[in-house]
Amino acid sequence: MKKRLLFLGPPGAGKGTQANLICQDQDLVHLSTGDLLREEVESGSSLGREAEIVMNQGELVSDELVLSIVEKRLSINSQGWLLDGFPRNLAQAALLDDLLQKISQPIESVLLIEIDDQILVERMLLRGRKDDNQEVISNRLKIYRDKTAPLIKHYKNIGLLNSVDGFGSVEDVNSRIKEALN
Ligand code: B4P
């Protein structure tokens, strides 16, 4: 199975859920910018306080902050990694391309988890995280369409994109992903 992976998809598509399973199974380092940012918020640092305001509105945290979080972790690792929730826009994708070139660790596969908006909203409302309320979810979906969805074309053009249907049980989606990554 491929060892340097990127998961793309709308908020609530199950990127984090599936990334956890694949990383356990394949012994990859799981880099979730969402989780890392929430840890920063929990720590009460000034960066965390800054990030919290942005995240609670469903907006994207600054590219510089996110890149600094990812860079540290990628460059010290060689066994393989899975990027979950990063990049979130074309500027982050360009910064990532530069970084990966510098450390000679190119992406092997980009996996897009596709799913209907209605199901996403139901899943997120059920999860009930601080940023999982109707108004913030609508904003996150808008930001996804405007800023993150253009990455689909970007990775398709360079021949790295694989899509899987995110509908169904966690196990069903996991089987589809494993098949797509083999
Ligand atoms: P993230 O933490 O990345 O969260 P997400 O996209 O909402 O969730 P994900 O797709 O991982 O869904 P999950 O598996 O949890 O981002 C949060 C915020 O952080 C962003 O809005 C932004 O502010 C900031 N941020 C993160 N990265 C950034 C970046 N690079 N640049 C700038 N800002 C950034 O699944 C959702 C729910 O569905 C869960 O409750 C799960 O249990 C359930 N579920 C999953 N699969 C299911 C299935 N098959 N069936 C039923 N339920 C399922």
Side-chain angles (χ1 to χ4, degrees):
M1 198 186 264
K2 301 194 173 84
K3 296 276 186 196
R4 289 190 297 274
L5 312 173
L6 197 158
F7 277 13
L8 260 186
K15 300 182 294 292
T17 305
Q18 296 298 333
N20 272 326
L21 294 174
I22 295 290
C23 286
Q24 272 169 24
D25 198 52
Q26 298 296 314
D27 198 22
L28 305 179
V29 173
H30 181 190
L31 282 168
S32 158
T33 43
D35 287 349
L36 294 168
L37 287 166
R38 280 185 286 277
E39 275 171 27
E40 197 72 45
V41 171
E42 279 297 303
S43 78
S45 69
S46 62
L47 282 181
R49 284 198 297 276
E50 214 180 289
E52 186 175 27
I53 297 169
V54 179
M55 291 168 81
N56 285 346
Q57 291 166 344
E59 299 287 330
L60 297 182
V61 172
S62 80
D63 297 340
E64 291 71 25
L65 172 56
V66 175
L67 188 81
S68 71
I69 288 179
V70 173
E71 189 164 15
K72 245 189 303 186
R73 290 164 172 92
L74 270 188
S75 38
I76 52 168
N77 161 64
S78 57
Q79 91 226 42
W81 37 258
L82 192 162
L83 291 172
D84 158 18
F86 174 82
R88 273 295 216 272
N89 58 31
L90 286 167
Q92 290 184 7
L95 291 167
L96 177 66
D97 286 346
D98 287 349
L99 169 66
L100 295 180
Q101 209 168 6
K102 207 163 67 188
I103 60 173
S104 305
Q105 294 191 33
I107 298 169
E108 293 181 321
S109 185
V110 175
L111 194 115
L112 170 67
I113 305 181
E114 294 184 296
I115 191 148
D116 287 349
D117 281 7
Q118 197 195 328
I119 298 169
L120 300 174
V121 175
E122 281 167 15
R123 284 186 185 174
M124 285 189 277
L125 288 176
L126 210 66
R127 175 172 64 183
R129 212 168 58 193
K130 225 173 171 182
D131 55 344
D132 288 336
N133 61 67
Q134 200 67 256
E135 193 187 338
V136 174
I137 291 172
S138 302
N139 195 32
R140 285 161 62 198
L141 287 172
K142 183 179 179 309
I143 302 262
Y144 174 75
R145 276 185 222 104
D146 293 349
K147 307 219 164 125
T148 311
L151 294 174
I152 298 171
K153 200 169 160 203
H154 171 73
Y155 289 115
K156 200 175 186 174
N157 286 345
I158 51 175
L160 287 176
L161 193 81
N162 280 293
S163 303
V164 294
D165 182 1
F167 179 73
S169 69
V170 170
E171 294 75 24
D172 287 347
V173 180
N174 189 245
S175 306
R176 286 179 211 136
I177 291 178
K178 281 184 173 163
E179 208 173 301
L181 292 176
N182 265 320

